[in-house]
Amino acid sequence: MPDVITVTIQTDSDSFQEVDVKIERPSYNKPFLGGFRDVRTGVEFHNAGSQTKFRKRPDKGIQLFCRETQTILEKNKPQQTRNTTSTQMTKIGLYVSSMTDKLISPGKYFTAEEYHKCRLEAVIVLQKYFRRWHAINVVQNLREQKRLRLAREAQEELQKKMEKEEKLRREYERKLNPKTKEDFELLYHDLELWMQEETERINRTLTGAERKAALCELLEQEAQLIACFGRHKLNANKENQQKAMLHLLDKCAQPKRWKAFDGRITEMDTKDTLRAKELLEIYQSISMKDIPKDERAAVLLTLRHTVKEHECKLTQEIVELIDREVDLMSKEVKECNLEGLRKRICTLFLQYIKIPKFNPGISGLLKVPQDPLKLYKNVYFCHSCENYLPSTEFPIPVNSRTIGRCHLCSKLANEARRRDAFLKYRLTLENLRKSEADYQDDSKIFSLVQLPDLQYMMENIWNCQSALSAWSELYDLVMVRWDKQHEWSPWNTILLTKEEADAHLKLCNLQKAYEAAFIYRIKQKHIQAKNYFAQIPAMSPFLHVSDNQANAS
C-alpha cells in the first residue's frame, strides 16, 4: 500500500470531492479485540477499537508498576438449621418433669495464653523424647564406628606384627642358608656387629694378658666364621651358576611374542627357538642323575648325533667322552666313578650351546659381544684387581670424576673392612623408583640417583629416621615427594614411614597441614641436598628448573 491514497467523497447529491489520505504505519502490532464475519459474503469485520491508535498516558516522570491485590472475598449469608426445634418450659397449667434434667455449671475459663502454653509444654515433651532417641542413635553409631576402628587398628597391628615376624623369619632363613650377595652382606654385617660388641665387652671387663688372650680367641673365632662363610659362598655360587645357566637356556628357547592391536598375545616358534629348545632338553637329560643305564645310553646317543652335525675340536672331544662313558657303562663301572666324566660332558656340551654358530638364538643373550671391536669400547682399568673390565662392572656414582674399583673389589673391600649392609638402602631405592613410575609424569631425576647417593641422603641429611616420628627402622621408611605437584628430586623429598607417607600424599595444602618450624627444617634439608648434588653436571638443568619454579611461586 502506498503512503498516500486518494479517496472520492460525495459532498452533495450531484457533487463529489477527491481527498488525499496519508497512511500512518504503526510501529507496533495491533491487538485483536474481536469482530464478526458475514455468513453470506464471508467478509470479516474487526471492532473499531483495533483500527485506532490507543491513547498514550501522559508521562509523570515516575516509573509505575501495577499489581493485583490479594484479598479474600467475603460474603455474608444467613444459615438456618434444617430441623426446627423448640423447648417447653413449666408454666401455669403445664407441668414438665425435671427428673432427667442435668445441671451444668461453667468451668474454669481457658484462655488462649494458657492454651498456647499447654501446647508449648507438649511440644517440649515431644522434643525431649525425640532428642533422647536421636542421641541414643548417635551414640550407638559412634560406638559402632569406634568398635570398627578399634577392630581395624587391631587388625592392622596384627598384620604389622605378622609382617615383622615374617620379615625376621626370612632374614633368619637368609642368614642360615645364604644364596645371594645380599644374604652374605647381612652375614658379614652381623659378624661386624658381633665383633664390636665382643671387643667392647672384653675391653670393659678384662685387662692385661687376659684381655690380649680374649682378643686372640675372638680373632680366631672371626677367622673360623669367615672360612665358614666362604664355604657357603662356594656352594651358593655353584647353585646360582646352574640356575643362571638354565634360565639363560630357557630364555633362549622361549618363542617370539608380540601384542596385536586387539590386545591378544601372539607366539611364534622360529627355527632358532626350536633349535634352542632341543639343546635345552638334551642338556637337562644329560644333567639328570640316578637314571637307568638304558635311558642314559639313549640320551648319550642323541647327544652324539646332535654334536656330530658340526665337525670341530670341541665336538670331537665330546664324542670321545661319550664313547668312553658308554664303554665304562658296558664294563659295569660304579656310578660314583663316572661323576667326573659326566661333569666334563655337561661342561663341554654347555660350551657347545653357547657358541652362536651351533645355537644362533643365544647370540643376543651373551655378555661377551661376538664382534671383537666392541670389546675396545667403554673398557676401563681397575687399579685394585688390575683387570680391564666394561663400564657396567664399575659402581660409578653421579658425582664421581674418576673410575674407582670394580664391583668385585668393592665387595671384597666391604667384607674385609666396613662390612656394611646395603639391602635396606637398595629396597628404599626400589620403592622410590616404583612409586615414581606410577605417577607417569615423565620424571627423570630419580633415575639418575644411585645407591651411594641415596645412602648419603638417608645417613647425612635425614639421619636414617622419619622426619615426623623419628622412627629409625629402615625397612619401614620410604622416600616420597614433599610437594606432589612437582616431580621427585633430592630437594623435593621427605623421609617418612609408610603410614605417614600415605597420609602426607593426601594433603592438599602443606602450609596449613604443618607448622612453620617443621617446614623450615625440611627446607634446610632440601638446601643441603642441593649443595651436595650441585657438583654433579647431570643435575645442573634440573637445579635451574627448580630455582625458576621457586622464584615463580
Side-chain angles (χ1 to χ4, degrees):
M1 180 179 290
D3 295 337
V4 179
I5 62 175
T6 303
V7 180
T8 304
I9 301 174
Q10 186 177 2
T11 59
D12 201 355
S13 60
D14 56 351
S15 62
F16 297 90
Q17 182 182 359
E18 291 184 355
V19 179
D20 293 335
V21 179
K22 186 179 180 180
I23 303 298
E24 293 183 1
R25 303 185 185 277
S27 59
Y28 63 94
N29 294 326
K30 298 178 182 179
F32 177 71
L33 301 180
F36 62 93
R37 182 174 61 87
D38 192 344
V39 297
R40 294 174 297 177
T41 60
V43 179
E44 294 184 355
F45 299 91
H46 293 174
N47 291 340
S50 65
Q51 306 297 328
T52 57
K53 188 176 181 180
F54 64 91
R55 183 181 179 184
K56 190 175 182 180
R57 294 182 180 181
D59 188 8
K60 298 181 181 180
I62 303 175
Q63 189 177 7
L64 302 178
F65 298 94
C66 297
R67 65 176 182 178
E68 297 180 357
T69 57
Q70 299 179 356
T71 56
I72 189 171
L73 298 178
E74 297 183 356
K75 184 178 181 180
N76 296 329
K77 185 177 180 180
Q79 295 289 339
Q80 180 65 31
T81 58
R82 297 183 179 180
N83 297 327
T84 303
T85 58
S86 62
T87 57
Q88 182 66 50
M89 305 297 295
T90 301
K91 66 177 183 177
I92 298 174
L94 178 62
Y95 173 77
V96 179
S97 175
S98 60
M99 294 296 295
T100 59
D101 293 350
K102 295 180 180 180
L103 182 61
I104 299 176
S105 59
K108 183 180 179 181
Y109 183 72
F110 202 64
T111 62
E113 182 180 357
E114 294 174 347
Y115 171 77
H116 288 298
K117 182 180 179 181
C118 181
R119 297 295 298 171
L120 180 60
E121 292 176 354
V123 169
I124 291 174
V125 171
L126 290 177
Q127 287 181 345
K128 288 181 180 179
Y129 281 99
F130 173 78
R131 290 173 180 174
R132 178 176 178 272
W133 171 82
H134 183 67
I136 291 175
N137 290 339
V138 170
V139 171
Q140 288 180 351
N141 291 335
L142 292 176
R143 187 181 291 113
E144 182 67 16
Q145 292 177 6
K146 179 182 178 182
R147 185 186 65 81
L148 294 176
R149 179 176 58 82
L150 293 177
R152 184 176 64 254
E153 291 178 355
Q155 183 68 21
E156 291 177 356
E157 291 294 331
L158 181 61
Q159 184 71 18
K160 291 180 184 178
K161 184 178 179 181
M162 293 177 61
E163 290 179 356
K164 189 173 182 179
E165 292 178 354
E166 180 67 17
K167 180 184 66 177
L168 295 176
R169 188 187 64 80
R170 287 198 304 267
E171 284 189 4
Y172 178 76
E173 290 291 336
R174 296 178 69 172
K175 295 175 184 178
L176 190 62
N177 299 311
K179 295 181 180 179
T180 62
K181 62 179 182 179
E182 289 84 3
D183 300 343
F184 287 101
E185 280 183 2
L186 293 176
L187 280 177
Y188 282 103
H189 181 65
D190 290 349
L191 175 61
E192 181 64 22
L193 294 179
W194 176 74
M195 285 291 297
Q196 292 177 1
E197 292 177 359
E198 291 295 318
T199 304
E200 182 182 359
R201 182 184 62 82
I202 293 172
N203 293 332
R204 187 179 63 254
T205 57
L206 301 177
T207 58
E210 295 180 353
R211 173 178 170 277
K212 292 183 179 180
L215 290 175
C216 291
E217 184 179 359
L218 179 63
L219 184 61
E220 292 179 359
Q221 293 178 2
E222 181 185 9
Q224 292 177 2
L225 290 175
I226 292 176
C228 180
F229 294 166
R231 290 191 295 270
H232 280 287
K233 188 178 293 186
L234 290 176
N235 297 331
N237 288 337
K238 292 180 181 179
E239 295 180 4
N240 293 335
Q241 287 177 0
Q242 184 70 15
K243 291 180 181 179
M245 184 52 58
L246 291 176
H247 177 71
L248 176 65
L249 298 179
D250 183 69
K251 189 176 181 180
C252 181
Q254 291 295 324
K256 306 297 181 182
R257 293 185 177 90
W258 64 87
K259 183 181 290 187
F261 67 94
D262 54 355
R264 292 186 299 178
I265 303 297
T266 304
E267 297 183 354
M268 182 183 69
D269 284 314
T270 62
K271 61 178 183 179
D272 295 341
T273 58
L274 294 176
R275 173 67 175 177
K277 189 179 297 184
E278 178 186 359
L279 296 177
L280 174 61
E281 293 176 354
I282 295 175
Y283 179 76
Q284 291 176 343
S285 300
I286 64 174
S287 301
M288 294 176 62
K289 298 180 180 180
D290 300 331
I291 60 175
K293 293 184 179 180
D294 53 348
E295 294 183 8
R296 178 70 182 180
V299 171
L300 293 176
L301 182 61
T302 304
L303 176 60
R304 180 188 178 91
H305 290 315
T306 302
V307 299
K308 285 286 287 184
E309 297 176 0
H310 304 88
E311 290 292 338
C312 65
K313 185 177 180 180
L314 178 62
T315 56
Q316 292 175 3
E317 189 174 357
I318 294 175
V319 171
E320 290 177 2
L321 294 178
I322 292 173
D323 295 339
R324 188 183 304 174
E325 182 179 355
V326 172
D327 183 50
L328 293 176
M329 289 174 57
S330 62
K331 295 179 180 180
E332 301 295 335
V333 178
K334 294 182 179 180
E335 296 285 338
C336 59
N337 297 329
L338 297 175
E339 289 183 1
L341 180 60
R342 291 175 177 176
K343 287 182 180 180
R344 287 187 62 191
I345 294 176
C346 290
T347 303
L348 293 178
F349 183 63
L350 195 57
Q351 295 179 8
Y352 175 86
I353 294 175
K354 288 184 179 181
I355 299 177
K357 181 180 178 181
F358 308 143
N359 185 15
I362 206 169
S363 59
L365 303 176
L366 295 176
K367 291 184 179 181
V368 180
Q370 300 303 309
D371 187 5
L373 296 178
K374 293 183 180 180
L375 293 174
Y376 297 98
K377 298 180 181 179
N378 296 327
V379 176
Y380 299 96
F381 180 72
C382 177
H383 295 277
S384 180
C385 61
E386 298 182 352
N387 290 327
Y388 287 94
L389 300 171
S391 59
T392 55
E393 297 296 328
F394 291 87
I396 306 175
V398 291
N399 62 340
S400 64
R401 299 183 181 273
T402 59
I403 301 298
R405 292 176 295 190
C406 62
H407 283 292
L408 181 59
C409 296
S410 300
K411 184 170 71 68
L412 291 176
N414 180 52
E415 292 177 357
R417 295 182 178 89
R418 299 185 58 181
R419 295 172 180 170
D420 293 330
F422 302 103
L423 177 61
K424 299 178 181 180
Y425 303 106
R426 191 175 292 108
L427 293 177
T428 304
L429 183 59
E430 291 177 359
N431 293 332
L432 172 62
R433 291 175 176 173
K434 187 182 300 182
S435 62
E436 285 300 309
D438 294 339
Y439 279 102
Q440 298 181 353
D441 56 356
D442 297 332
S443 57
K444 302 176 182 178
I445 302 179
F446 72 93
S447 60
L448 299 177
V449 178
Q450 303 299 321
L451 186 61
D453 306 318
L454 184 71
Q455 183 181 0
Y456 176 85
M457 291 175 55
M458 296 183 66
E459 291 180 352
N460 299 291
I461 297 178
W462 298 99
N463 299 325
C464 292
Q465 62 182 10
S466 170
L468 280 174
S469 59
W471 184 260
S472 59
E473 182 61 38
L474 292 181
Y475 282 114
D476 300 332
L477 298 180
V478 293
M479 270 194 170
V480 295
R481 298 182 179 184
W482 167 249
D483 185 0
K484 62 181 179 181
Q485 303 299 330
H486 301 93
E487 66 172 326
W488 184 92
S489 62
W491 48 90
N492 183 35
T493 184
I494 184 172
L495 186 63
L496 300 170
T497 63
K498 296 179 181 178
E499 294 79 9
E500 294 170 352
D502 294 338
H504 172 79
L505 293 177
K506 295 178 182 178
L507 298 177
C508 297
N509 193 334
L510 300 177
Q511 308 297 329
K512 294 181 180 179
Y514 298 117
E515 295 181 353
F518 179 78
I519 297 177
Y520 176 77
R521 190 165 66 250
I522 298 300
K523 294 297 182 183
Q524 292 299 315
K525 294 182 180 296
H526 291 168
I527 293 174
Q528 295 180 22
K530 276 189 177 182
N531 295 334
Y532 173 75
F533 285 93
Q535 55 187 337
I536 304 172
M539 288 288 185
S540 304
F542 302 105
L543 283 169
H544 294 317
V545 171
S546 65
D547 293 339
N548 295 334
Q549 291 177 353
N551 295 332
S553 62

